[in-house]
Amino acid sequence: MTAPNRSTKDVCHPTRDLPQKEKKPNAAANATADSAPSFFKTYDCRGKYGVEATEQNCFRLGSACNAFKRPLVLGMDYREHNDTLASAFFQGFQGEAWYAGHLPSPALAYNSKDGWAVSFTASHNPAGYNGVKFKKHQRCFFENELQQLKQWYDFSKPPARIESKPLPFEDPAVKRNYVDDLPDIQGGIFDLAGGAACALKDVFENRLFDRPDPRFERHLPEPKEGTLDVLQAETRKQNQVGFAFDGDADRCVAVDQGRVIDGGHLTAFIASHHVQAKSKVFVTLDTQAEVFRFLQEEGLQVHYTPVGDVHIVRAMMEHDAAFAAERSGHYSFKQHMPDSDGIYTAALLSGTKAGDLVEFTQRFKAVSLKDEVRFQIDFAQLKAWAEQKAGTANVQDIDGVKADLGDYAFLVRSSQTEPKIRINVEAADVPKAKKGMDEVKAAMEKCRMA
């Protein structure tokens, strides 16, 4: 079988094949459409197995993907039910495809350079969830592209019964193409979390939780404080820096001397050690204001994007940036590919000496306070208040309102998953942070909508 990336022809353009104006969905049709609206999220397909993530819906998804004219690369993590869901997808999909077997999402994205790829994964979601991510030209699908795919999906119908059929033979070229481009591993401890990174366990000599865990019974797929106790202990015991991945390994979290390193601080470390001065860098709005100022002082052209990995990917591509980061652990490098890659990030940082990250983070002194409210506000009015206090140049409104008022900085933005508004205040010490929180909440009360 020919290796992927052999063609330079683009994937077909949905905007040329579909009407530009999307029709409003028919409510009656949606009521009997196998929970189609809930299976499609903003940037991927995801849901509970047997509810949104069903074989019928994956057959319809495969059928919808026949609209793409270039060959497909398909792989998956080790989650329970992925084999039957992928089998149903292949029964609906009639195009040319390479089956990669179990691989992390970044490996599949890497092989979509001249085409597209599908990753069966629910990322950091707990057991019981399944999902599908779509990649194109080494990046995630953007919202409009997924919505165009959904239009084809809405017209497809599953058969009354879907039989379980064997998956195609695996093509080792997909894995080889990706692994050959990774930086050499120079040290470190790697927590694979029983997820998709286990497919590349031979890359990491010093590894933890390297046995696939389809139900995540031994380790949750979300790398954060509270789930990395074993890795934290091993970094102290072995005196090495540790790295942890989420379920599909597109995120990376670092641990040094038992401490989980804040994603904003790791962003600053990467940019100052691995990005050339004067380069363009994008960070999400939830990145600390003091990190933003540090990057400016390092001579980097730093800009904000809305929160979400898709936004850093889009910004990197549109502005030819060298590096982009989201505080939750998504990192994108121009020299590698636009899409976020936790494994590449860990390999790049694997030569970091124990204690270096902890020492680096000590320059950041700010205290952060968080709160939330469950009422709606007029964000335009809040922006006007912030501009009056901080000046227009120090206020961002691309995702809620963020402002740097000198004594403190704040970010107020709507939750993407719940009916509430999140508040984050950052200051040099606790008293200033508390004062800032009080001022911001008082301003929000004045901006409250009936």
Side-chain angles (χ1 to χ4, degrees), residues 323-394:
F323 173 62
E326 184 187 34
R327 191 175 176 183
S328 67
H330 287 109
Y331 304 102
S332 298
F333 300 85
K334 179 181 177 180
Q335 74 263 25
H336 178 51
M337 67 175 174
D339 214 33
S340 172
D341 190 342
I343 291 176
Y344 182 91
T345 302
L348 185 69
L349 297 176
S350 63
T352 307
K353 295 181 180 179
D356 282 358
L357 293 179
V358 169
E359 180 181 359
F360 179 85
T361 62
Q362 290 175 354
R363 72 191 64 205
F364 301 114
K365 307 295 185 181
V367 175
S368 293
L369 298 180
K370 296 181 180 180
D371 205 344
E372 60 187 44
V373 297
R374 291 186 176 269
F375 55 80
Q376 296 302 308
I377 66 169
D378 184 336
F379 278 94
Q381 188 177 345
L382 182 65
K383 177 190 175 186
W385 172 81
E387 287 179 338
Q388 186 177 15
K389 291 181 69 68
T392 304
N394 294 314

Side-chain angles (χ1 to χ4, degrees), residues 15-74:
T15 52
R16 293 203 295 260
D17 300 328
L18 286 175
Q20 292 296 306
K21 186 176 181 180
E22 185 175 352
K23 295 181 179 179
K24 293 183 179 180
N26 181 288
N30 285 343
T32 59
D34 277 333
S35 302
S38 58
F39 187 42
F40 272 78
K41 309 307 181 187
T42 306
Y43 299 110
D44 60 20
C45 294
R46 199 176 304 197
K48 289 186 176 181
Y49 176 74
V51 182
E52 300 95 350
T54 66
E55 283 75 14
Q56 288 74 20
N57 283 349
C58 287
F59 179 97
R60 296 175 65 191
L61 198 57
S63 179
C65 288
N66 286 317
F68 297 112
K69 307 304 181 185
R70 302 310 308 159
L72 159 72
V73 176
L74 185 146

